[in-house]
Amino acid sequence: MNGNLLKPISNLSYLRLLQRCSTMDELKQIHAQVITTGLARFTYTTSKILAFCAASETGDINYAERVYNQIVIPTLFDFNTMIMGYSKSSEPNKGLEVYARMRNEGFEPNGRTFPALTKACSSISALYQVHGQVMKFGQGCDVYVLSSIINIYSKFGAMKIARQVFDESLNRNVVCWTSLISGYCGIFSSPVGGLSYVGLKAASSSKLFHVKDGVSWTRKTVSNGSKTHCMKTWNPIDNKKFETLSYLPPLSDESIAKEIDYMLSKGWIPCLEFDAVGYVRRENSGIPGYYDGRYWTLWKLPMFGCNDSSQVLNEIHECKSTYPNAFIRCLAFDNKHQGQCMAFLIQKPTSTSSSS
């Protein structure tokens, strides 16, 4: 009897179907068969179905919610899956409700919980509480958790706090750096104003993660009140951005020389390019994959054997005097790896640079 009962699991037929599943219609058919054959009581099978509904691009968070509500004893994987799914939905605060239930049932979060939970925060006060939970459970040294916190603080415009978290972190990855730079440059479009940092507690004294009543807990966290407002942080009209340093004021010769010295110290080959328009466009053809302006015109040849930044500066001044109304940039090529490894803008036409 036991052998017959476990036969569907040993054959892995439904699990293989779930791996090949690509649409919700297929998933629902498989789910119906799983229920009919009694396999729905196996945690692994149900978790795979839940993960597809909640986390995949073709999933359905509403269907995932129905599956989740039918699970008598959810696992930590199930909780994390639902938090991730809600963080991508139009109701991210439901992810915080899932976390509250998870804690009430005695589960402790792991490294996969908080990156998704931070994305579910639609208010700065909720993010304060999540940050406090991160520190409470000793996840403050996890680089992926920290990068998520810095990223969301930056999106809220709370750059003072984001910088504090960044400075206090021992491990930093590229997401940490990028999030902080993006926040300072005003790339995120919905900063939070009128807030003062008061440690890891929200300005209100409500205890977000200790209320078992999900409805009342939602009332305390869904609305941002009057604390959040949107503002335009970047004017896109006649203000194109080019390469990494284009958000800065025009570089001086001394600053350019330092960048070139860095190139030369790495053994890279400097090169100058110019273009009248300066950005990618579609003018001569509309066929897929065709774009004008992807490649700029080369100024002379790459400077093979160059070992002094003054040589490059002389070429830059000559290029500027020859094409005063063109975009000019400096590139660095790595001849060992056969690729471009650095680029920055040197000149923008007067009409464009004046608006930066």
Side-chain angles (χ1 to χ4, degrees):
M1 180 177 178
N2 290 336
N4 293 332
L5 180 64
L6 296 177
K7 186 175 180 181
I9 295 296
S10 61
N11 290 335
L12 299 176
S13 57
Y14 290 108
L15 296 181
R16 292 194 185 98
L17 287 175
L18 285 171
Q19 291 176 351
R20 294 196 298 266
C21 181
S22 59
T23 66
M24 280 302 302
D25 288 338
E26 296 175 354
L27 187 280
K28 290 177 181 179
Q29 295 179 36
I30 297 172
H31 190 198
Q33 289 295 319
V34 166
I35 295 174
T36 302
T37 56
L39 295 179
R41 65 182 181 276
F42 291 102
T43 301
Y44 185 77
T45 306
T46 307
S47 296
K48 291 284 287 184
I49 293 173
L50 184 67
F52 181 90
C53 299
S56 69
E57 294 182 359
T58 58
D60 184 344
I61 190 62
N62 295 321
Y63 193 86
E65 186 174 352
R66 292 197 292 271
V67 174
Y68 168 73
N69 290 333
Q70 293 172 0
I71 301 175
V72 179
I73 305 177
T75 64
L76 181 59
F77 177 86
D78 297 331
F79 286 123
N80 287 343
T81 298
M82 288 305 296
I83 293 172
M84 181 184 301
Y86 280 129
S87 70
K88 299 177 181 179
S89 72
S90 59
E91 298 178 295
N93 282 294
K94 285 189 175 182
L96 303 179
E97 293 181 28
V98 173
Y99 180 79
R101 177 188 171 186
M102 184 185 86
R103 293 294 301 122
N104 286 334
E105 295 188 8
F107 287 90
E108 290 193 0
N110 61 12
R112 295 181 178 273
T113 305
F114 290 117
L117 192 61
T118 54
K119 295 177 183 178
C121 296
S122 59
S123 69
I124 194 73
S125 60
L127 184 57
Y128 287 157
Q129 294 289 328
V130 171
H131 192 179
Q133 292 284 299
V134 168
M135 306 308 293
K136 175 181 177 180
F137 288 100
Q139 298 286 336
C141 295
D142 190 311
V143 66
Y144 297 105
V145 175
L146 283 175
S147 61
S148 299
I149 291 174
I150 294 171
N151 181 45
I152 303 302
Y153 272 133
S154 299
K155 286 185 176 180
F156 279 124
M159 295 310 303
K160 183 177 180 181
I161 313 172
R163 181 57 186 268
Q164 180 179 341
V165 175
F166 179 86
D167 290 339
E168 292 176 355
S169 61
L170 300 177
N171 299 319
R172 301 165 184 164
N173 61 7
V174 67
V175 178
C176 296
W177 289 93
T178 303
S179 298
L180 198 66
I181 293 171
S182 299
Y184 278 127
C185 297
I187 293 177
F188 298 125
S189 60
S190 300
V192 175
L195 293 174
S196 58
Y197 181 50
V198 290
L200 296 181
K201 296 192 299 182
S204 76
S205 59
S206 59
K207 303 294 185 181
L208 299 184
F209 297 121
H210 300 286
V211 181
K212 293 187 178 182
D213 183 358
V215 176
S216 61
W217 188 82
T218 305
R219 288 180 186 143
K220 295 181 180 181
T221 59
V222 167
S223 176
N224 296 338
S226 59
K227 293 181 178 180
T228 305
H229 70 280
C230 296
M231 59 183 291
K232 184 174 70 174
T233 59
W234 174 62
N235 175 24
I237 306 302
D238 196 27
N239 192 20
K240 296 288 183 181
K241 297 301 179 185
F242 304 86
E243 312 297 354
T244 309
L245 305 179
S246 63
Y247 58 86
L248 296 175
L251 299 177
S252 63
D253 285 349
E254 181 180 2
S255 297
I256 295 174
K258 290 181 179 179
E259 297 295 328
I260 296 171
D261 286 336
Y262 177 78
M263 292 182 185
L264 299 177
S265 69
K266 294 290 186 179
W268 298 336
I269 301 168
C271 173
L272 298 181
E273 291 183 342
F274 64 95
D275 190 74
V277 179
Y279 52 87
V280 175
R281 59 204 182 275
R282 296 172 68 90
E283 293 180 354
N284 297 316
S285 176
I287 63 175
Y290 179 87
Y291 298 94
D292 300 294
R294 286 192 296 180
Y295 304 103
W296 293 12
T297 304
L298 189 66
W299 169 260
K300 299 184 178 179
L301 294 176
M303 299 175 213
F304 301 102
C306 176
N307 55 15
D308 189 343
S309 58
S310 62
Q311 298 172 334
V312 182
L313 287 174
N314 289 335
E315 294 297 330
I316 290 173
H317 288 302
E318 185 177 349
C319 185
K320 283 183 175 181
S321 62
T322 305
Y323 301 102
N325 296 319
F327 294 90
I328 302 175
R329 66 185 177 189
C330 183
L331 311 177
F333 289 103
D334 187 340
N335 61 343
K336 294 181 180 179
H337 297 89
Q338 296 294 306
Q340 176 184 321
C341 46
M342 180 177 172
F344 64 95
L345 197 69
I346 293 173
Q347 173 178 286
K348 289 187 287 186
T350 304
S351 60
T352 303
S353 59
S354 63
S355 62
S356 299

